[in-house]
Every structure is written in C-alpha cells, then in structure tokens.
C-alpha cells in the first residue's frame, strides 16, 4: 500500500518551499510531497488551480493530507478538494494544524504507512485547543 501524500499550501512561496524542504529532510522520498504558494504575479496569495496541481503531484491511492497557513489557503484548498473527481475527493483532507510542525508530523506518520485519518489526527494534535 502506498503512503499518504502531503501538500503544503502557503501564501508565501518561500514558506511553502521551506516547509517542504524540512519535510524532505525528515522523511526523504518515502511520501509524495508537493507545495504551492504565492499568486501568479509573484506576490502573497494562494490559488485553487495551483492547489489542484499540487494535489495531483502528491497524489497517492492512500490519500493526500493538505497543510495550510492562513484562512484563504484553507478556503482555496477546500474549493480545490470539492473540484476533484468524486473517487478522489473522499481521499483528500485539509488538516487544522500548524503548517511546518503539522507537515513534518503528518509526513513522519505517513512514512510509516499510517492511514489518512491517522495522518490527519497526528498533524492536528499540534493545534491549539
């Protein structure tokens, strides 16, 4: 069984890339990993199309966990998930977790072969209550 994939979505392309770099250093190539950040003009922002592309790059039959930084990234990620084919939609979750710590913990859990819901729970354990 393949491992859960991870997508990192940030308003800043540098934050997205940096968080992905940390994940790669922790788990190597054991999980599919993609990131996206910034708007097409090079400024801060997120876009539904780029998030969908990131989901495709990180796709795994085990599912994909998305980590986001701010509200707009979460909203756009949820819209991207809603636009997926029905057979994929149910295998993608947006985690309510800190982007860097959550991504590292989710990827570490995924690299051990844990199912999507366990990966999500592990990332979300880091959220303030």
């Amino acid at each position: 069984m393949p491992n859960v994939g991870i997508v990192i979505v940030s308003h800043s392309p540098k934050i997205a890339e940096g968080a992905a770099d940390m994940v790669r250093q922790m788990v190597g190539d054991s999980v599919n990993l993609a990131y996206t950040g910034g708007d097409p003009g090079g400024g801060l922002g997120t876009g539904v199309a780029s998030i969908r592309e990131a989901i495709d790059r990180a796709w795994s039959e085990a599912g994909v966990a998305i980590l986001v930084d701010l509200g707009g990234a979460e909203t756009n990620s949820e819209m991207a998930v809603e636009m997926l084919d029905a057979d994929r939609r149910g295998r993608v979750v947006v985690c309510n977790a800190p982007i860097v710590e959550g991504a590292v913990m989710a990827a570490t859990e995924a690299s051990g072969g844990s199912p999507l819901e366990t990966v999500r729970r592990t990332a979300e354990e880091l959220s303030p209550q």
Side-chain angles (χ1 to χ4, degrees), residues 55-102:
I55 293 168
D56 287 342
R57 289 192 312 272
W59 182 253
S60 166
E61 290 300 315
V64 173
I66 303 173
L67 285 293
V68 300
D69 62 357
L70 299 171
E74 181 176 7
T75 300
N76 284 341
S77 294
E78 289 170 349
M79 287 193 302
V81 171
E82 286 301 315
M83 295 171 75
L84 295 172
D85 292 337
D87 63 321
R88 283 188 165 195
R89 191 177 313 129
R91 291 185 275 169
V92 180
V93 296
V94 178
C95 300
N96 180 17
I99 191 167
V100 175
E101 299 92 333

Side-chain angles (χ1 to χ4, degrees), residues 6 10 16 19 22-23 31 38-39 42 47-49 51-52 55 59 63-64 66-67 69 101 103 115-116 123:
I6 304 293
S10 175
M22 288 184 72
V23 168
V31 298
D39 68 14
V48 174
I51 295 167
R52 287 197 59 194
I55 293 168
W59 182 253
V64 173
I66 303 173
L67 285 293
D69 62 357
E101 299 92 333
L116 182 59

